[in-house]
């Protein structure tokens, strides 16, 4: 099997079939064993010749990122491509079950999916009990400042964790200037380490130029690890639990 996205690689290992992988994408780094698998380019720039040379029985890709033309070229070479579309928590769980079926790991996949469902439900129940939803600004881009609006799985994470997405006025991944950030007045700011090479402590300190923003005034500007937020794979639930602790600290006890 060749995984055409990092999230697919993580799911394949999570259902106990990592040994089936003969190829994966450039930034696949979890679990550590994934680092030993040959690379086939990035998920948006796949090396078709390299994939064909690995002689996989099939590939597993994602609709969100893998170019359709690349998928069609692989299929023209006689390599089937199964495409997932995990654009939310429920879709991510469905992908786990689907990949489990493809790899004859239904039992492991079902056990994993049910455990993740329980954790998601626990977060949602605690968030619901809080009543009020603080405004949360999730920063994924540094220069310019980029957030996640409606139609993204980060938007769903914020809502499930008990927050109101401050960028929910827009769809996709909107950009924001200083004046707009002040008008949004987020109560919690979460900065993800998605931008490579950035000094994220400096990014956090930069919010200090907006002392009247509630999140700044109350010391609720946080930096989090992008690894658990930027891939629709099981670790996304780790990200959800982290976000819930930041949004509603009083509800974070086990």
């Amino acid at each position: 099997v060749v995984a055409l996205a990092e999230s697919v690689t993580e799911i394949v290992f999570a259902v106990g079939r990592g040994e089936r992988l003969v190829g994966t994408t450039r930034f696949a780094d979890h679990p550590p064993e994934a680092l030993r698998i040959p690379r086939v380019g990035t998920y948006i720039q796949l090396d078709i010749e390299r994939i064909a040379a690995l002689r996989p029985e099939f590939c597993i890709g994602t609709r969100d990122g893998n170019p359709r033309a690349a998928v069609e070229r692989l299929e023209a070479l006689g390599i089937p491509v199964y495409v997932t579309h995990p654009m939310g928590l429920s879709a991510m769980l469905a992908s786990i079950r689907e990949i489990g079926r493809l790899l004859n790991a239904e039992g492991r996949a079902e056990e994993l999916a049910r455990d993740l469902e329980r954790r998601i439900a626990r977060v949602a129940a605690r968030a619901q009990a809080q009543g009020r939803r603080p405004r949360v600004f999730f920063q994924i881009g540094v220069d310019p400042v980029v957030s996640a609006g409606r139609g993204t799985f980060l938007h769903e994470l914020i809502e499930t964790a008990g927050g109101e997405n401050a960028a929910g006025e827009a769809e996709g991944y909107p950009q924001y200037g200083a004046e707009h950030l002040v008008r949004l007045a987020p109560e919690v700011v979460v900065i993800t380490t998605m931008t490579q090479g950035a000094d994220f402590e400096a990014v956090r300190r930069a919010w200090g130029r907006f002392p009247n923003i509630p999140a700044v005034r109350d010391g609720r500007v946080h930096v989090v690890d992008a690894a658990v937020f930027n891939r629709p794979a099981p670790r996304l639930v780790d990200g959800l639990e982290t976000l819930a602790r930041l949004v509603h600290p009083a509800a974070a006890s086990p």
Side-chain angles (χ1 to χ4, degrees), residues 104-137:
N104 296 316
E106 295 96 331
R108 179 77 171 266
E110 185 62 28
E111 181 182 357
L112 173 61
R114 288 186 178 182
D115 178 62
L116 294 173
E117 285 174 334
R118 286 192 291 269
R119 291 167 60 190
I120 293 167
R122 185 164 58 242
V123 169
R126 289 177 176 171
Q128 184 68 25
Q130 298 307 300
R132 186 176 177 279
R133 291 178 170 270
R135 294 184 305 281
V136 180
F137 186 86

Side-chain angles (χ1 to χ4, degrees), residues 68-126:
R68 183 170 181 174
V71 171
E72 291 174 346
R73 285 184 62 196
L74 289 168
E75 292 183 331
L77 293 172
I79 303 172
V81 180
Y82 295 89
V83 178
T84 63
H85 190 48
M87 288 302 292
L89 289 168
S90 61
M92 183 268 290
L93 295 171
S95 292
I96 290 172
R97 291 182 166 107
E98 180 181 1
I99 290 172
R101 286 192 295 271
L102 288 172
L103 300 178
N104 296 316
E106 295 96 331
R108 179 77 171 266
E110 185 62 28
E111 181 182 357
L112 173 61
R114 288 186 178 182
D115 178 62
L116 294 173
E117 285 174 334
R118 286 192 291 269
R119 291 167 60 190
I120 293 167
R122 185 164 58 242
V123 169
R126 289 177 176 171

Side-chain angles (χ1 to χ4, degrees), residues 1-240:
V1 177
V2 170
L4 304 182
E6 290 80 2
S7 58
V8 172
T9 298
E10 293 196 20
I11 292 174
V12 171
F13 273 99
V15 301
R17 289 291 187 266
E19 79 284 353
R20 295 282 303 275
L21 289 171
V22 296
T24 187
T25 40
R26 181 177 301 168
F27 301 110
D29 56 4
H30 184 84
E33 293 84 349
L35 294 169
R36 298 197 293 266
I37 300 171
R39 309 284 118 163
V40 296
T42 68
Y43 71 99
I44 57 175
Q45 291 184 317
L46 296 166
D47 186 336
I48 304 300
E49 289 72 22
R50 175 63 170 154
I51 294 171
L54 293 171
R55 301 175 63 85
E57 295 177 46
F58 58 87
C59 298
I60 305 175
T62 176
R63 188 184 305 175
D64 180 39
N66 293 152
R68 183 170 181 174
V71 171
E72 291 174 346
R73 285 184 62 196
L74 289 168
E75 292 183 331
L77 293 172
I79 303 172
V81 180
Y82 295 89
V83 178
T84 63
H85 190 48
M87 288 302 292
L89 289 168
S90 61
M92 183 268 290
L93 295 171
S95 292
I96 290 172
R97 291 182 166 107
E98 180 181 1
I99 290 172
R101 286 192 295 271
L102 288 172
L103 300 178
N104 296 316
E106 295 96 331
R108 179 77 171 266
E110 185 62 28
E111 181 182 357
L112 173 61
R114 288 186 178 182
D115 178 62
L116 294 173
E117 285 174 334
R118 286 192 291 269
R119 291 167 60 190
I120 293 167
R122 185 164 58 242
V123 169
R126 289 177 176 171
Q128 184 68 25
Q130 298 307 300
R132 186 176 177 279
R133 291 178 170 270
R135 294 184 305 281
V136 180
F137 186 86
F138 204 104
Q139 182 177 351
I140 62 175
V142 173
D143 186 17
V145 173
V146 178
S147 189
R150 297 189 311 275
T152 66
F153 60 80
L154 290 174
H155 176 82
E156 182 183 2
L157 288 189
I158 292 169
E159 293 199 327
T160 305
E164 175 189 348
N165 188 2
E169 61 185 8
E171 292 189 4
Y173 299 95
Q175 298 180 10
Y176 290 94
E179 292 183 3
H180 202 169
L181 292 175
V182 171
R183 288 199 301 272
L184 290 178
E187 297 165 86
V188 182
V189 172
V190 180
I191 304 164
T192 177
T193 58
M194 197 171 294
T195 304
Q196 294 186 1
D199 180 346
F200 290 98
E201 183 56 30
V203 175
R204 188 186 67 81
R205 290 195 303 268
W207 280 85
R209 69 188 190 275
F210 308 122
N212 294 324
I213 288 180
V216 178
R217 182 192 64 215
D218 300 334
R220 301 189 69 184
V221 180
H222 309 280
V223 176
V224 297
D225 183 1
V228 296
F229 285 100
N230 65 357
R231 297 175 187 171
R235 289 193 297 166
L236 195 60
V237 179
D238 296 342
L240 172 65

